[in-house]
Amino acid sequence: MVEESSLDKFNRMNLLIDFYGQLLTERQRQVLSLYYEDNLSLGEIAADFSVSRQAIFDLLKRAEKLLEGYEEKLGLVNRWQQERAKLIDMVKDMEDTLRQRDWSKMEDLVQSFSKAIEEGRE
Amino acid sequence: MVEESSLDKFNRMNLLIDFYGQLLTERQRQVLSLYYEDNLSLGEIAADFSVSRQAIFDLLKRAEKLLEGYEEKLGLVNRWQQERAKLIDMVKDMEDTLRQRDWSKMEDLVQSFSKAIEEGRE
């Protein structure tokens, strides 16, 4: 079922929970948080809630599907990741330019930084 | 009904549409877009859809309320605006430092820029 590496999956689910978690039910959020943030096992969560391991598994799958559905519609995690990647590239260029002590290049970088922010939504 | 200035309201609605519009129905999105993006009047939209002005008004109010409800739950527009304000401050500090030709200060700024990005979600 899990094709991507486990760590990628955990990172992704934590981002989806962070962005869209408030659209789920309290119970769904609790189980997701125990599994993906506190790293409890399905068995441990099942024991906490006095239900079967299968019930927790089903609840988890359903909640994940809902979160992925919101991201499919809104794409806000994807957009955030792309904006962040752009900023990380920018900071790397600035760090290189610091080492080169090149004011003219630094001026260009600050200008594109400024432009990149202006180009955001609105 | 509209307390904030009209321009603020239009900017805010456009941001909310941009973030959460895909959670509305096709019809709601169309009417919001005609009103807030294309700046048509209620009467013009009503004529387009062959319905009463009141029907468009009601649809618009309901769609706005839904969008505000999503923002109340998720707060993603607010978070985005805060992150953006921080970046704008940072770019202003960098522009000042460019004028001063102060490498040491620029190093500090680039470092806090880098730290600010790392501190984001994840």
Side-chain angles (χ1 to χ4, degrees):
Chain A
M1 191 153 218
V2 180
E3 274 134 48
E4 50 201 334
S5 89
S6 210
L7 185 68
D8 283 355
K9 166 99 180 186
F10 269 68
N11 281 342
R12 176 165 180 82
M13 287 310 303
N14 275 310
L15 272 173
L16 290 173
I17 294 166
D18 184 32
F19 273 73
Y20 307 122
Q22 293 303 316
L23 296 176
L24 302 180
T25 67
E26 176 70 21
R27 166 67 67 109
Q28 287 170 330
R29 262 204 313 281
Q30 277 176 344
V31 171
L32 279 171
S33 161
L34 291 172
Y35 190 74
Y36 285 108
E37 291 168 14
D38 302 339
N39 299 318
L40 295 197
S41 71
L42 291 177
E44 288 169 321
I45 301 171
D48 273 8
F49 286 92
S50 306
V51 297
S52 69
R53 195 182 165 287
Q54 183 66 39
I56 294 298
F57 179 82
D58 292 344
L59 191 152
L60 209 54
K61 287 301 132 189
R62 170 151 173 70
E64 287 173 14
K65 218 176 143 182
L66 283 170
L67 291 177
E68 290 288 2
Y70 286 122
E71 173 61 6
E72 207 170 299
K73 275 193 172 169
L74 302 182
L76 295 172
V77 170
N78 183 43
R79 213 191 312 189
W80 178 80
Q81 283 178 317
Q82 285 182 349
E83 284 170 9
R84 190 165 187 257
K86 230 200 266 179
L87 292 176
I88 288 174
D89 281 349
M90 230 168 256
V91 106
K92 273 186 200 145
D93 286 345
M94 284 182 178
E95 283 166 347
D96 289 344
T97 308
L98 279 175
R99 277 188 289 276
Q100 297 156 5
R101 291 280 189 264
D102 183 340
W103 278 120
S104 144
K105 202 172 160 195
M106 189 58 98
E107 239 157 48
D108 292 346
L109 288 174
V110 172
Q111 205 169 15
S112 23
F113 179 24
S114 170
K115 228 176 117 194
I117 301 171
E118 292 307 321
E119 269 168 10
R121 269 151 292 210
E122 195 180 36
Chain B
M1 190 151 218
V2 179
E3 274 135 47
E4 50 201 333
S5 88
S6 211
L7 185 66
D8 284 353
K9 166 99 180 187
F10 269 67
N11 281 341
R12 177 166 179 79
M13 287 311 302
N14 275 311
L15 272 175
L16 289 174
I17 294 166
D18 184 32
F19 274 73
Y20 307 122
Q22 292 304 317
L23 295 176
L24 302 179
T25 66
E26 176 70 22
R27 166 68 66 109
Q28 288 170 330
R29 263 204 311 280
Q30 278 175 344
V31 170
L32 279 172
S33 162
L34 291 171
Y35 190 74
Y36 285 108
E37 293 168 12
D38 303 338
N39 300 318
L40 295 196
S41 71
L42 291 178
E44 288 169 319
I45 301 171
D48 273 7
F49 285 92
S50 307
V51 297
S52 69
R53 196 182 165 287
Q54 183 66 39
I56 294 298
F57 179 81
D58 292 344
L59 190 153
L60 209 54
K61 287 302 133 188
R62 169 151 174 71
E64 287 173 14
K65 218 175 144 182
L66 283 170
L67 290 177
E68 289 287 2
Y70 285 122
E71 174 60 6
E72 207 170 298
K73 275 193 172 171
L74 302 183
L76 296 171
V77 170
N78 183 43
R79 214 189 315 189
W80 178 79
Q81 284 178 317
Q82 286 182 349
E83 284 170 10
R84 190 166 187 257
K86 230 200 266 179
L87 291 176
I88 289 174
D89 281 350
M90 229 168 257
V91 106
K92 273 186 200 145
D93 287 345
M94 284 181 177
E95 282 166 349
D96 289 344
T97 309
L98 279 174
R99 277 188 288 275
Q100 297 156 4
R101 292 280 190 262
D102 183 340
W103 278 120
S104 142
K105 202 172 161 197
M106 189 56 98
E107 240 156 49
D108 292 346
L109 288 173
V110 172
Q111 204 168 17
S112 20
F113 180 23
S114 169
K115 228 176 115 192
I117 301 170
E118 294 305 321
E119 269 168 9
R121 268 151 294 209
E122 196 180 37

